[in-house]
Structures are given as C-alpha cells and as structure tokens.
Amino acid sequence: MNLGIYIQVPFCRTKCTYCNFHTGVYSKSLYTPYCDSLVSEIRNWKSVYEAAGLAEATEAAQFVTDTVYIGGGTPSLLDPLELGRMIEAIRESFNCKIAEATLEADPETVTHAKADACLAAGINRISLGVQSFNDAELAAAGRLHRAADTVAAANTLRSAGFESISFDLIAGLAYQTSASWSDSLKQLVNLSPEHVSVYMLEVDEGSRLGREVLASGARYSASKLPADDQIADFYELARCELSRAGYNHYEISNWAKPGFESRHNLKYWRRHPYFGFGAGAHSFCSSRRWANLHDPARYLAAIQSGASAIDQTEILNSPQKLDEELFLGLRLNAGIDVPAIEARYNVTLRDRIAELERRGLLVMQGSNARLAADRISVSNEVFTELMS
C-alpha cells in the first residue's frame, strides 16, 4: 500500500449555487499566510500526529507517497510558486515517488504562464471543473467561466505539455435538457480528456440551491431543475457515450482512458491510507479517521500558534469498517472480493448477495460481486440493502 497526500485550498472567487463544500470567497490577503501554514503543517506532521496519539499514521508514513491531490475550492487561484512550496515540503517530509500530482482548476483561471509554472512545480495532472458546455446552465449555477473558456483552457494545457487532464460534468443543472446534455457530452468527447467525472446534482441543506429546492422556492433557478428520472437518463446517456468513445467506467462517477484512472482517488475507494492538510482536510489510516478545523481563520490561528489543527478523530470498529468496505468497494466496477471480506470480518454475505443478484441488482464474476450495469444510478438503494 502507498500513501496519498491531499491538500485542501478553501478559496473561491464565487460560491456556486449547488456547492455544499466548506469553501468560500476570502480576501487574497489570506492566500500567502494560508500557504505558509500549510507548509508548516506538512513539515511538522509527525510531532502533531504523535501528540494526537495517531500511531497508525506514523506507521503509514513509512509507505511510499506516490500521489498528491490539491483540491478545494479553487486551488488554481494560488500562485504556482506557492503550489511548488507545498509539493517541495511533501517531498522533504515523506518518502516520495510521486507518480501523480493533481491540481483542481476552474477553466477561467488557466493561463499559458500558469500552466507552464504548474508543470515546472511538479504538477502533472489537471482536473478542470467544466460542469457544462452550455452557457445558460453555467450562469444559472453561478459559474464564472463559459464553454469557450473550457476549450481555451484545454488547448492551453495541451500546449504546455500536460498529458493527463480530467473534466467534471454535472447532470441535473438548472435549464439542462436532453439536447444540451447530449451536446455537452459531444463537446467533451471532442476535446478528448484522459479522465471524466460525471456527478448527479445533490439536493441537500448544505447548498443555497438545495435549501431553496427543499423549501419549494424559485431562487437560484430552483424551479428549472430537471426531474430525477431525467437526471438518471442523463447519467445513462453519459455511460453509453463515454463507453463508445473508449473510456473505461471504473467507478460509479468516473471514467478513464486506459491507464489514466485517478490513482489518488482510488485510494479512497480501496481504503488505502491518505493524509490531509489544510482547513477541513480529512485523513484516514487503518482504523482511524481524523479531520482538521474547517474554518480557515481558526485553522490559521492554530497553526500559527504552534497548536494542532486536528479537530475530530474517530476510531472505527469492525462493523463500521465492514460497511465502509462494502460501500466504497461496490463503487468500483471491479466490485468486492466476497470470500476475502467474509474471512476478514468473520461474516457471511453470500445469502444477501444471492438475493440481490436474483433481483438483478448485483452481478457475480468469479468471487467478486459488483453492481449491475443498469442499476448504477440507484446504487445507494443497493448499498442500503446489502449493509442492513
């Protein structure tokens, strides 16, 4: 098992209507102090984890660190020199053989100078928050870029030498129709990114749009959202079109050309260890999960005073670990190794799996169980039944 490092950058130029992340619009004057604190947290990780009683973490640090993921927020707002400082701190603090270093970026933030500098800083993969190729949908969602910006950003990244680019799309945006969704997929395929993520819009109290929908309001174009059945159809169309274009559907929301699966994100689904740095960053190792303070001001104050930014820790018991292994493992197209899990947790799953297979929800391939291809869009129902 190798170790992954995640860096959280909570800064955005604007808050998208659908966003339920711990991010926000902050003064640029916070950027450099925040980066200073991130570098300090990375360099002092060992003493902080030891003081917090995270023995598992100090053991995991012996593994090779092979992935770095800088997410947010909009980390592409930062100066590439700051990003380089973070990666250098990781190289100096961990046993590194970094094969994949990803930066999340909004299309309108990509420039030729920034692309060149990011590549020089050690970043070799860009994840673009495209979301749609329809300008009306982008405007309603509060996005600052337009379709032309995505095309320009992709061309800029290619000319700089990036060979691994990922696009995100959201199924279910306001004003989205079958025709506009089909057009977004067509334009995406024409630009030929190595990796694609398709997310179905989440409606919950964590976003302005979600709260408006739950209140039956009309702000943020809440009344213009497609119906749930239509969103499921959008997902199925994406599944078909991306497969036709040569992408491997390796996880519920993710497709990749051969060899371009997200090595870092696979750690999450396989329950491999990862350390998170920055405000709100989460970490996992063995039986432990822990998270930093979410508020950037409180995070900065903690780091600058020499204190720990860790705010929450959790020790997972065996039933929790089993549930995670089932839930996360079944997200992958490869599925779960049933005999191995039964032996690891001393449980019997075969009767439940046989019933779900009889109902066409799961498929057995050798010793592995995986979601039936035509039931992926209702995967949460399958997870609930299996884990009950």
Side-chain angles (χ1 to χ4, degrees):
M1 250 187 269
N2 291 340
L3 178 68
I5 301 291
Y6 176 80
I7 293 176
Q8 171 73 356
V9 178
F11 307 130
C12 293
R13 281 179 170 168
T14 185
K15 186 81 168 179
C16 300
T17 62
Y18 55 80
C19 181
N20 57 6
F21 295 158
H22 291 280
T23 59
V25 180
Y26 297 93
S27 168
K28 289 184 178 180
S29 64
L30 284 178
Y31 289 8
T32 296
Y34 185 82
C35 293
D36 289 341
S37 294
L38 266 170
V39 170
S40 176
E41 185 189 10
I42 292 166
R43 294 191 185 281
N44 296 319
W45 74 268
K46 190 171 184 179
S47 59
V48 171
Y49 285 3
E50 287 176 345
L54 297 170
E56 297 96 332
T58 55
E59 293 173 7
Q62 301 172 26
F63 301 150
V64 171
T65 297
D66 66 340
T67 66
V68 174
Y69 195 106
I70 307 174
T74 311
S76 56
L77 291 176
L78 299 181
D79 188 317
L81 292 176
E82 300 286 16
L83 301 173
R85 286 177 58 209
M86 297 174 198
I87 293 175
E88 184 61 25
I90 292 170
R91 292 187 187 278
E92 293 177 356
S93 304
F94 294 91
N95 177 23
C96 289
K97 292 183 181 178
I98 299 174
E100 178 188 276
T102 301
L103 175 73
E104 288 185 350
D106 282 356
E108 79 278 7
T109 67
V110 176
T111 65
H112 287 283
K114 187 170 285 189
D116 290 339
C118 285
L119 200 61
I123 294 163
N124 59 12
R125 183 176 183 270
I126 299 292
S127 179
L128 278 180
V130 176
Q131 318 313 5
S132 171
F133 282 88
N134 182 280
D135 287 352
E137 295 169 18
L138 291 168
R143 301 293 293 179
L144 294 179
H145 75 278
R146 297 297 178 259
D149 297 317
T150 295
V151 176
N155 291 334
T156 296
L157 293 170
R158 292 297 188 204
S159 65
F162 280 93
E163 298 178 350
S164 184
I165 300 174
S166 180
F167 282 5
D168 288 357
L169 286 184
I170 296 180
L173 293 175
Y175 299 103
Q176 200 167 69
T177 65
S178 297
S180 71
W181 178 251
S182 179
D183 183 66
S184 282
L185 290 173
K186 180 180 178 180
Q187 293 197 55
L188 179 148
V189 169
N190 286 341
L191 289 173
S192 194
E194 284 69 30
H195 187 278
V196 179
S197 298
V198 175
Y199 302 108
M200 291 187 281
L201 184 72
E202 293 184 10
V203 173
D204 58 40
E205 294 182 350
S207 70
R208 290 177 294 159
L209 175 59
R211 289 190 293 273
E212 194 69 13
V213 171
L214 294 173
S216 300
R219 291 186 303 168
Y220 315 120
S221 303
S223 61
K224 303 299 182 181
L225 297 181
D228 289 345
D229 288 349
Q230 193 172 15
I231 295 173
D233 290 342
F234 293 165
Y235 177 87
E236 289 302 318
L237 181 61
R239 198 167 62 85
C240 294
E241 292 300 319
L242 292 172
S243 175
R244 186 177 293 119
Y247 290 89
N248 171 41
H249 191 188
Y250 72 99
E251 193 270 345
I252 286 178
S253 301
N254 291 275
W255 288 255
K257 293 181 179 180
F260 286 94
E261 294 82 1
S262 172
R263 295 177 63 156
H264 183 84
N265 288 340
L266 280 168
K267 288 178 166 55
Y268 301 149
W269 303 312
R270 291 171 174 167
R271 300 184 77 250
H272 289 185
Y274 54 89
F275 293 171
F277 298 104
H282 287 246
S283 304
F284 168 73
C285 182
S286 185
S287 298
R288 290 266 194 169
R289 291 192 181 278
W290 61 98
N292 279 352
L293 293 160
H294 284 288
D295 181 68
R298 293 181 63 201
Y299 167 82
L300 279 172
I303 298 297
Q304 290 173 349
S305 68
S308 168
I310 296 174
D311 183 46
Q312 305 169 28
T313 61
E314 179 184 12
I315 300 176
L316 303 175
N317 59 32
S318 186
Q320 288 173 315
K321 289 191 285 187
L322 172 60
D323 281 352
E324 283 192 359
E325 190 139 6
L326 296 175
F327 174 76
L328 296 172
L330 280 173
R331 290 190 63 90
L332 293 168
N333 187 54
I336 56 173
D337 186 330
V338 177
I341 292 177
E342 288 180 324
R344 187 152 51 244
Y345 295 98
N346 191 29
V347 295
T348 300
L349 300 173
R350 300 184 191 201
D351 290 344
R352 275 183 281 173
I353 289 174
E355 171 61 17
L356 293 173
E357 184 181 20
R358 185 189 66 77
R359 293 163 53 192
L361 300 175
L362 291 179
V363 175
M364 287 296 299
Q365 289 186 324
S367 63
N368 276 32
R370 63 176 180 82
L371 287 170
D374 61 348
R375 299 303 179 95
I376 292 176
S377 61
V378 293
S379 57
N380 284 342
E381 298 174 22
V382 183
F383 298 154
T384 298
E385 292 205 36
L386 181 59
M387 296 187 295
S388 63

